[in-house]
Amino acid sequence: MSIKYDLFENPPRAGKKEEGWLHARPVIQGTLRTERLIRSISESCTLTGADVKGVLESLSERLCYGLSNSYNVYLEGIGTFSITLKSKPVKDKKEIRSASVEFKNVEFRPDPRLKRKLQLADMSRVAPKEKRATFDGKERRERLWGYILTHHSINVTTAMAINHANHKKTKEDLLFLVEKGLVKELHHGNAKIYIRNPEPADHKAEGY
């Protein structure tokens, strides 16, 4: 087992004409979903699949409970979860009330031990036959939409890795989904993320 990667050309920065510079980026092999994790955990210990599922459900509930009561939640060997909030900018504390403050996002900070383990992981560049798979525009957009349905959001780097596509094609695909009304583009710090548009609720992936 190893972390798969390939080399991709850096997109030019605004006002620059840099070309030809390559950087390594992980090539995503898929998503390990809950059922697969449950099966893998139960096979490596004395807990049954039902036991593991119950623990994960309880963990999810306790995680939500802690975060919604102003606690950070630390899982040993995994990391720390915390929340961020959003509100309109004001100059006087009296200008804002609790009703104007909203939940923004859940942030994750990995445990140092998890980071050390990943730093020791083997790296292997994908073989030519592994990266030959190319997708037409319809297939790329369907793959991105499928990811968003599961994860609710995506960024450009992840989208590029999912389809092994360059920055230009990926931006075009995401813009297509925005224009279709399937996703919304949001600024997250200096980056952009694309989240599923909750309205209308009956979006489907047909018609690409």
Side-chain angles (χ1 to χ4, degrees):
M1 298 295 291
S2 61
I3 295 176
K4 301 284 188 180
Y5 75 92
D6 200 4
L7 299 176
F8 295 82
E9 186 173 346
N10 289 331
R13 292 179 293 180
K16 302 290 183 179
K17 294 184 178 180
E18 300 170 342
E19 293 183 357
W21 294 98
L22 303 174
H23 70 285
R25 188 167 64 243
V27 176
I28 306 302
Q29 302 297 296
T31 300
L32 292 177
R33 302 187 184 279
T34 305
E35 290 303 318
R36 183 173 175 182
L37 289 172
I38 288 174
R39 184 169 62 252
S40 177
I41 293 171
S42 65
E43 290 173 352
S44 62
C45 66
T46 58
L47 297 176
T48 66
D51 292 333
V52 176
K53 185 174 183 180
V55 170
L56 292 178
E57 290 175 350
S58 294
L59 177 59
S60 176
E61 292 177 1
R62 292 297 90 191
L63 176 62
C64 183
Y65 176 84
L67 294 174
S68 62
N69 282 277
S70 294
Y71 286 92
N72 289 342
V73 179
Y74 170 67
L75 299 179
E76 187 173 347
I78 296 177
T80 301
F81 295 85
S82 59
I83 64 168
T84 57
L85 305 176
K86 60 181 178 180
S87 65
K88 64 180 181 181
V90 297
K91 292 185 177 180
D92 190 325
K93 293 180 180 179
K94 296 179 181 179
E95 295 180 48
I96 196 165
R97 300 179 181 276
S98 296
S100 302
V101 181
E102 301 177 6
F103 165 80
K104 183 179 180 181
N105 204 357
V106 176
E107 301 287 345
F108 173 71
R109 186 172 68 254
D111 186 290
R113 283 171 293 179
L114 175 61
K115 293 176 68 173
R116 285 196 294 270
K117 288 179 181 178
L118 292 174
Q119 288 168 351
L120 295 173
D122 293 330
M123 300 285 170
S124 63
R125 187 175 176 184
V126 291
K129 65 179 181 180
E130 293 181 271
K131 61 181 180 181
R132 278 183 195 146
T134 57
F135 308 100
D136 61 29
K138 181 176 184 293
E139 290 174 320
R140 292 197 309 271
R141 294 188 288 267
E142 287 178 342
R143 287 165 63 85
L144 296 181
W145 177 236
Y147 182 95
I148 293 169
L149 284 175
T150 301
H151 298 84
H152 306 295
S153 67
I154 196 170
N155 59 32
V156 174
T157 300
T158 300
M160 290 170 68
I162 288 172
N163 287 325
H164 304 175
N166 61 32
H167 188 269
K168 181 181 178 182
K169 285 184 178 180
T170 300
K171 289 285 289 184
E172 290 174 351
D173 292 336
L174 291 169
L175 179 60
F176 181 93
L177 297 180
V178 170
E179 292 174 345
K180 276 279 189 177
L182 295 170
V183 303
K184 295 193 296 185
E185 182 182 86
L186 298 178
H187 288 274
H188 185 64
N190 294 325
K192 292 180 180 179
I193 61 170
Y194 298 81
I195 67 170
R196 182 181 179 185
N197 189 353
E199 297 179 357
D202 60 346
H203 288 321
K204 296 183 180 179
E206 289 95 336
Y208 288 177

